[in-house]
Amino acid sequence: MSNSISCQIADGREAAAFFEAHPHIDAVDIIFTNMCGVPRGKRLRRHEVIGVYENGRYLPGSAAVVDITGRDTEETGLVWEDGDADRLLRPLPGSLVPAPWLGPDAAQFLTGFYELDGTAHDLDPRHVLGKVIERLMAIGLTPVVAVELEFYLVDQARDGNGQLQPARGLRNPHRSDDIQVYGLRELEDFKPFFDDLYTACDAQGIPLESAISEYAAGQFEITLRHRPDALRACDEAIMYKRLVKGVAVKHGLEATFMAKPFAESAGNGMHLHISMEDATGHNAFASDAAEGTDLLRHAIGGMQAALGDSFAIFAPNANSYRRFKANSYAPVASTWGVNNRTVSLRIPAGPPASRHVEHRVCGADANPYLAVAAVLAGMHHGIVNQIDPGAPVVGNGYEAESSGPKMPSNWFAAVDQFRQSALMQDYLGARFVEMYAIVKQTEQERFFALVPELDYSWYLRNA
């Protein structure tokens, strides 16, 4: 069995104790999250679960490389050529929890993906993240991570023109058509949804904190508390996204984390707040200086250097690239600054002991495991090579000249750069980089092979 930190496996005693405490549960979802970030798996009866904890559960290896729609990516050579052979899912400790939005008899647990000989599967995003964390731990640093996700609540039905529309409130059936950032009335209107969301998060041990109405009608953000365990922080982000969507459906709504649901409104970001603990458990970025320590500056320099190479992780889908627009609170250059939301890499205001960096590039559609892996890879690269990030941006970052590498301007360029990146191959694994690129290039071909309604509107009569 692999001894990677990501390879901790729960045993049957955990499941036995859970069922003793929850004797009514008889529908248990087993969840694996592949590179596209979509939870997949099986629904089991109660009597099947102990066997999974003792021996694992088989799942075809092709599940590691299905695209975002769940379709096989034959171009990887991991479907027919492999005989679509089974691998093993093994349960993650502490992840067997109730799923109250599915009913009183429902539960779920997360899994890792393994070869039949017990080796960690190199295309499992969680194992990819574990390898990067180990490189930081080897130089005496433990990443402390919080994942912040924005989402929209929308109607399940489209409007008369077939367009997506913000949801009506649950207490007051008003449909907002203005921004109302930080509006309390907007939180009040959806209080039944938020009440159930907090209750479900408490039931699953997800550390949910403050909620805000974000910079668009129907858009919200809720904070997940930081963790000195980056793997667990990402596990909770995966659980949280599923939970938000499920609770929304329970209330007749749809929750979406797609990067840009509305063309003229703010996009959904995934902001990653990261610091480093040293061997004594203290924040290695802590400093009376607002710009932090040299270690923090080097970490920022590394994130800048890796930004272009890892952009296909941060913006994984065609829709992702609609989010990057000046003066939209989404970054457009590899800039950094202090207490400045117009840059990509922000050191937030706060007391010296809280000094950390907020990575603001990712869309909420990114896979949390891979996004954190790519960010930590950049930080490690910057720290070990003592990369200087240059001077911080003061004022409007959208007008500032960036001294760092350019951000890819489109999906095709991003995937090409990622595939060719020696840096990403070093940290994430050469085979993972190749397979991820193939999956995304196949998605590109499938996406652009479709003829959307806009083509008819623009070209049917005019071309």
Side-chain angles (χ1 to χ4, degrees):
M1 182 70 67
S2 173
N3 60 1
S4 167
I5 63 167
S6 65
C7 293
Q8 296 178 346
I9 297 171
D11 65 30
R13 289 172 295 181
E14 179 177 323
F18 177 82
F19 286 123
E20 184 176 355
H22 302 86
H24 53 287
I25 283 180
D26 191 39
V28 183
D29 289 348
I30 175 172
I31 299 170
F32 166 63
T33 304
N34 82 344
M35 57 179 62
C36 290
V38 180
R40 304 188 185 279
K42 302 181 179 184
R43 179 159 295 171
L44 309 180
R45 298 292 303 277
R46 174 194 182 101
H47 66 270
E48 298 178 272
V49 173
I50 295 296
V52 179
Y53 274 72
E54 293 175 346
N55 303 307
R57 184 79 176 203
Y58 294 115
L59 193 73
S62 58
V65 290
V66 296
D67 71 6
I68 197 164
T69 72
R71 184 175 170 183
D72 280 338
T73 308
E74 298 173 14
E75 293 82 352
T76 59
L78 300 177
V79 184
W80 312 124
E81 294 86 345
D82 186 50
D84 202 14
D86 278 332
R87 269 69 173 186
L88 272 179
L89 298 176
R90 305 300 299 267
L92 303 185
S95 68
L96 178 55
V97 291
W101 70 93
L102 294 174
D105 66 337
Q108 67 178 42
F109 62 93
L110 304 182
T111 64
F113 211 41
Y114 293 85
E115 301 290 354
L116 298 186
D117 64 1
T119 305
H121 197 288
D122 60 354
L123 302 184
D124 180 341
R126 196 174 189 275
H127 294 319
V128 171
L129 171 58
K131 293 295 186 182
V132 180
I133 294 170
E134 287 171 352
R135 292 180 68 163
L136 283 160
M137 295 177 70
I139 59 172
L141 297 172
T142 299
V144 178
V145 174
V147 181
E148 233 177 46
L149 287 155
E150 296 167 337
F151 64 92
Y152 276 89
L153 291 176
V154 300
D155 270 3
Q156 291 181 342
R158 304 294 174 90
D159 67 15
N161 296 316
Q163 300 298 307
L164 196 68
Q165 52 188 345
R168 292 186 183 276
L170 296 173
R171 296 183 70 192
N172 178 351
H174 168 73
R175 191 192 316 282
S176 181
D177 59 2
D178 51 11
I179 292 174
Q180 296 298 348
V181 66
Y182 301 114
L184 294 177
R185 186 189 65 193
E186 285 63 36
L187 297 178
E188 293 169 6
D189 285 349
F190 290 97
K191 187 175 185 297
F193 164 81
F194 287 110
D195 286 349
D196 280 355
L197 186 62
Y198 278 101
T199 298
C201 282
D202 288 346
Q204 293 198 338
I206 298 174
L208 204 61
E209 298 190 322
S210 57
I212 64 168
S213 174
E214 260 292 351
Y215 199 72
Q219 189 186 37
F220 301 95
E221 178 185 270
I222 309 181
T223 303
L224 290 169
R225 190 185 314 132
H226 62 273
R227 292 285 200 185
D229 179 345
L231 288 166
R232 179 63 186 176
C234 292
D235 293 340
E236 289 168 349
I238 293 292
M239 294 165 67
Y240 170 73
K241 288 183 72 173
R242 183 171 196 250
L243 192 155
V244 169
K245 293 177 182 180
V247 172
V249 169
K250 180 181 176 182
H251 287 277
L253 310 173
E254 192 83 38
T256 181
F257 293 86
M258 71 182 291
K260 191 74 168 177
F262 299 97
E264 302 304 322
S265 298
N268 285 325
M270 177 167 67
H271 301 156
L272 303 174
H273 293 256
I274 302 177
S275 61
M276 294 288 170
E277 283 187 355
D278 61 21
T280 67
H282 293 96
N283 182 4
F285 292 164
S287 172
D288 290 328
E291 294 181 16
T293 59
D294 286 343
L295 191 77
L296 175 52
R297 288 176 57 87
H298 294 152
I300 290 172
M303 286 189 287
Q304 284 181 320
L307 183 57
D309 285 7
S310 45
F311 209 74
I313 295 288
F314 303 148
N317 305 309
N319 176 262
S320 307
Y321 294 81
R322 302 186 188 280
R323 176 172 161 263
F324 300 103
K325 182 179 179 182
N327 303 318
S328 68
Y329 293 107
V332 296
S334 56
T335 49
W336 77 283
V338 177
N339 193 18
N340 189 335
R341 286 184 171 84
T342 67
V343 297
S344 293
L345 308 169
R346 166 182 174 251
I347 300 178
S354 72
R355 203 71 69 221
H356 70 280
V357 63
E358 177 191 19
H359 188 284
R360 297 174 56 81
V361 179
C362 301
D365 57 340
N367 183 320
Y369 296 119
L370 297 181
V372 172
V375 170
L376 295 182
M379 296 177 87
H380 181 275
H381 175 65
I383 289 168
V384 298
N385 292 289
Q386 298 188 351
I387 297 176
D388 182 3
V393 168
V394 177
N396 188 351
Y398 292 112
E399 297 178 352
E401 286 289 329
S402 171
S403 60
K406 298 292 184 183
M407 293 165 58
S409 60
N410 61 73
W411 194 19
F412 293 91
V415 174
D416 286 344
Q417 185 169 342
F418 177 77
R419 189 175 196 171
Q420 297 166 19
S421 170
L423 185 68
M424 289 296 100
Q425 292 172 26
D426 178 24
Y427 282 94
L428 307 187
R431 194 171 90 110
F432 178 86
V433 168
E434 178 68 9
M435 293 298 108
Y436 183 89
I438 291 173
V439 169
K440 288 300 165 182
Q441 288 171 336
T442 303
E443 281 187 12
Q444 290 168 350
E445 293 171 3
R446 291 170 178 172
F447 185 88
F448 286 99
L450 301 175
V451 181
E453 184 62 35
L454 185 63
D455 276 21
Y456 300 126
S457 176
W458 282 31
Y459 308 124
L460 185 66
R461 296 181 63 194
N462 298 327

